Structures are given as C-alpha cells and as structure tokens.
Amino acid sequence: MEGLLSITVVFLLVIFGTLAAFARCYKRCPSDKILVIYGKTGGRSSRCIHGGAAFIWPMIQAYQFLDLTPIPIDIKLEGAPTQDNIDLDVPSTFTVGVSTEAGVRENAAERLLGLTLNDIQQLAQDIIFGQMRRVIANMTFEELTTDRDKVIKNISKYVERGLTKLGLRLINVNIQDVSASPGQS
C-alpha cells in the first residue's frame, strides 16, 4: 500500500510540475500590445499576435511585446520650397502608432523590436520630414494656403506609405499653420 501511495504522489507531482511549466510558457497578449514570437517560427523571422495568446517553447523561442500606444511627433518644418519657389514654414503635429494590420505589423517586428520610443519617434520624424518636403515641393503657394484638406490628404498619403515600411501607421495629422518663411515676399 505504501508503494502505491508513493507512486501516486510522484505521479501527481509530475502532472502538477508539467502543468506549471506549460502555464509559465503560455503568454497572453493584452489588447494594447503585439506579442512578437521569434526563434523557431516555421520559416518566418517572427510571428505576431494581437489580442490572443500563444505557447512559447522554452529554449527554442523567445518573445517581446510591441506597444501600440500612440506616439505624438511635433514637426517644425522650416524653409520648405514650394513649386513656385516660395519657402514655407509648416509647423504640424503627427500621431503615429505601430500597425495591427497583418503584414505591416511584421514590418514593425523586424524593424522596431527592441528600439526605444525615442528611436521610433526619430525614424518616423525623418520619414515625415522627407514626405512633407516632397508634397510641398509639388504644390504652389496658393494651393498650400487655400486648400488645407488637399494638403493634409497629400501629406497623409505619402507619409502613410513611408511609415508602412517601418510597420507604423498614421493616426492623425494636424497642420497648425502654413506661412512664408521670414524674408520671403
């Protein structure tokens, strides 16, 4: 009888130990994050999960989270030339965030994982500056100052394309003012 009791205790300890190990390896993803699993992921560089859970195989896989919190970026664009060679100052605020769209979030996992918030802001800011200059260079001073909706639409279109390559998405654009740089007529 004593042998049967010790076998039962050992069996129960093995079962509970196995369940505890599985519970530790089961990771849930909160709704404000993306769970990025990397290591052995079936031929891909990573696997991204938003709003779900996954089992992480110890020593074969690892994981990190990408934060979906919106990132505000103040842009102080100065001296951007228009199509008719008038330099403009266009202060604006952009709000970007990591995309949850399939395909785009994998870009974020490959390019943004492990970066600080400041690093992500700097990358996005560089893209925004370049695309804003491109849009302004292809419009006249009159178009830029009279048709704000067209300006925002064009800037949003080009900025979104650039941000998608990083795994980010454009949430909001707020152009505060469009004015000629000091010294311009």
Side-chain angles (χ1 to χ4, degrees):
M1 191 66 161
E2 202 173 292
L4 183 60
L5 180 63
S6 44
I7 290 174
T8 305
V9 168
V10 168
F11 179 73
L12 288 175
L13 285 175
V14 169
I15 294 289
F16 286 126
T18 303
L19 287 175
F22 277 110
R24 269 193 323 217
C25 296
Y26 187 74
K27 302 298 177 194
R28 290 183 307 256
C29 181
S31 61
D32 66 337
K33 299 196 184 313
I34 293 175
L35 173 63
V36 180
I37 302 167
Y38 54 93
K40 186 131 175 106
T41 58
R44 299 176 294 190
S45 63
S46 63
R47 186 173 61 149
C48 298
I49 297 170
H50 176 243
F55 183 79
I56 310 297
W57 290 99
M59 300 186 334
I60 297 173
Q61 296 175 328
Y63 72 97
Q64 286 185 13
F65 289 99
L66 279 172
D67 197 349
L68 296 176
T69 303
I71 304 167
I73 301 171
D74 288 326
I75 302 292
K76 307 276 189 261
L77 184 61
E78 297 176 343
T82 65
Q83 192 175 40
D84 42 8
N85 290 324
I86 297 174
D87 291 342
L88 294 182
D89 294 342
V90 187
S92 50
T93 302
F94 289 75
T95 306
V96 301
V98 174
S99 179
T100 58
E101 183 181 332
V104 180
R105 64 182 176 205
E106 283 74 15
N107 290 347
E110 290 176 1
R111 294 177 178 88
L112 304 177
L113 196 64
L115 294 181
T116 66
L117 178 64
N118 287 336
D119 292 338
I120 295 170
Q121 277 181 314
Q122 188 60 50
L123 286 170
Q125 188 174 28
D126 291 345
I127 289 171
I128 292 167
F129 266 115
Q131 297 304 326
M132 281 185 70
R133 286 189 173 279
R134 177 181 178 188
V135 169
I136 290 168
N138 289 315
M139 295 180 77
T140 64
F141 178 76
E142 185 179 330
E143 288 175 311
L144 289 160
T145 55
T146 59
D147 194 354
R148 187 172 292 250
D149 290 336
K150 181 178 178 182
V151 173
I152 290 174
K153 179 182 171 189
N154 286 343
I155 289 174
S156 296
K157 179 174 121 181
Y158 289 106
V159 167
E160 183 75 38
R161 282 185 195 165
L163 292 175
T164 299
K165 294 174 187 174
L166 283 180
L168 298 173
R169 71 183 184 97
L170 184 61
I171 297 171
N172 188 40
V173 178
N174 182 16
I175 296 177
Q176 291 139 14
D177 190 26
V178 176
S179 60
S181 295
Q184 291 287 314
S185 53

